[in-house]
């Protein structure tokens, strides 16, 4: 009964968001490909099963890849574009080469998904929509809420390094900076707390949190908001000397491969790996929402669907505003 109530609530939220969608986004809809590619979701599910079997880490990687795409100038597939050959200056590089994106992976998985779709529906489905569906299915396949993203996005023709630097939130921002970053995307502080819950299946490289472990400030060796036992464990994962730059740490230390609400429970215990995550519990303006989600998985799932749809509808390209790329890492000739 609880699961049924959750599904009904998610359906109601989804319908309400559709009803409130601005006219500029009216071309986004669930059935956008019903004529041009009626088997799209079947193709994507089969291909995602292969992607997950090949490497389960592809699932959180695709969710993160999509979120970084949507947060920079909208969900237009721009993060998938490669820099120009020989590009050396920021002005010539694409956003995937911006510092916040250097630890992204899953690009090969996207190309595999695109190839699978192209075999059945050539030149019909955008890379932006393939990436959005992959994020949706990544959540579903790891035990998260089941929902259908709106479709009909077109792929952008440009990608800028400086946009990635300027628009992506980073782990050492304070609350004001984080809220302002999300506000620039048309999102609220509530969305910040909700979407951070995607870290329930996420990973972080040592470079994202090592500063919390060593010489944190003039008086503290480690971040005092980080549980000291966890800090000791993290030092073994990420030693100060000769740390492996490719080493990663799960952001949810209790249920690593399951999309659930354990991430918020961890924050209550001082076990947020990223400083920006732990801040959600430490800051009075967001602590109560963390507590709600820690206690109520259904509440988190319902809120997550709402925020994911909002982010996915943000500043999208439709109609003749973009293109449908033949391959995802370069614009069409």
């Amino acid at each position: 009964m609880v699961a049924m109530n959750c599904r009904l609530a998610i359906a109601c939220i989804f319908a309400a968001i559709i009803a409130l969608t601005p006219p500029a986004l009216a071309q986004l809809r669930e059935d956008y490909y019903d004529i041009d590619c009626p088997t799209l979701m079947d193709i994507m599910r089969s291909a995602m099963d292969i992607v997950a079997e090949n490497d389960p880490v592809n699932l959180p990687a695709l969710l993160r890849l999509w979120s970084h795409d949507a947060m920079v100038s909208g969900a237009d597939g721009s993060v998938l574009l490669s820099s120009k050959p020989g590009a050396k200056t920021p002005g010539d590089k694409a956003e995937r080469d911006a510092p916040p994106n250097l630890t992204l992976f899953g690009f090969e998985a996207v190309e595999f998904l695109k190839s699978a779709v192209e075999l059945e529906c050539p030149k019909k489905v955008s890379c932006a929509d393939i990436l959005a569906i992959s994020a949706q299915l990544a959540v579903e396949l790891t035990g998260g809420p089941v929902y259908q993203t709106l479709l009909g996005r077109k792929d952008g023709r440009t990608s800028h390094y400086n946009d990635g630097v300027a628009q992506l939130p980073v782990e050492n921002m304070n609350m004001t900076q984080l809220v302002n970053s999300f506000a620039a995307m048309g999102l609220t502080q509530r969305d910040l707390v909700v979407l951070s819950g995607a870290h329930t299946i996420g990973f972080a490289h040592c470079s994202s949190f090592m500063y919390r472990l060593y010489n944190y400030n003039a008086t503290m060796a480690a971040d005092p908001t980080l549980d000291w036992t966890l800090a000791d464990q993290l030092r073994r994962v990420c030693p100060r000397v000769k740390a492996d730059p490719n080493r990663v740490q799960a952001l949810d230390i209790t249920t690593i491969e399951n999309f659930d609400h354990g991430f918020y429970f961890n924050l209550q215990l001082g076990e947020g790996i990223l400083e920006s995550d732990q801040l959600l519990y430490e800051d009075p303006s967001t602590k109560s929402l963390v507590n709600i989600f820690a206690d109520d998985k259904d509440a988190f799932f319902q809120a997550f669907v709402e925020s994911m749809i909002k982010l996915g509808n943000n500043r999208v390209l439709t109609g003749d505003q973009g293109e449908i790329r033949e391959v995802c890492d370069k614009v069409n000739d």
Side-chain angles (χ1 to χ4, degrees), residues 15-35:
I17 291 173
I18 293 174
L20 295 173
T21 297
L25 303 179
Q27 295 180 63
L28 293 185
R29 59 182 192 271
E30 286 187 54
D31 62 354
Y32 185 85
Y33 293 107
D34 279 7
I35 295 176

Side-chain angles (χ1 to χ4, degrees), residues 196-201 251-256 258-272 290 293-297 300-301:
S196 295
H199 292 167
T200 184
I201 56 169
L251 294 174
D252 181 345
I253 63 173
T254 53
T255 53
I256 296 173
N258 298 329
F259 193 102
D260 56 23
H261 62 146
F263 165 81
Y264 297 102
F265 179 75
N266 295 341
L267 299 185
Q268 293 176 320
L269 300 178
E271 295 176 347
V290 169
F293 292 153
D295 292 338
D296 190 339
K297 183 176 75 172
F300 167 52
F301 277 15

Side-chain angles (χ1 to χ4, degrees), residues 83-89 92-94:
S83 294
K84 300 174 185 177
K88 295 181 179 180
T89 65
D92 292 329
K93 293 181 179 181

Side-chain angles (χ1 to χ4, degrees), residues 9 62 96 141 186 205 239 258 284 290:
L62 288 167
R96 68 189 284 175
L141 289 171
H205 286 75
N258 298 329
V290 169

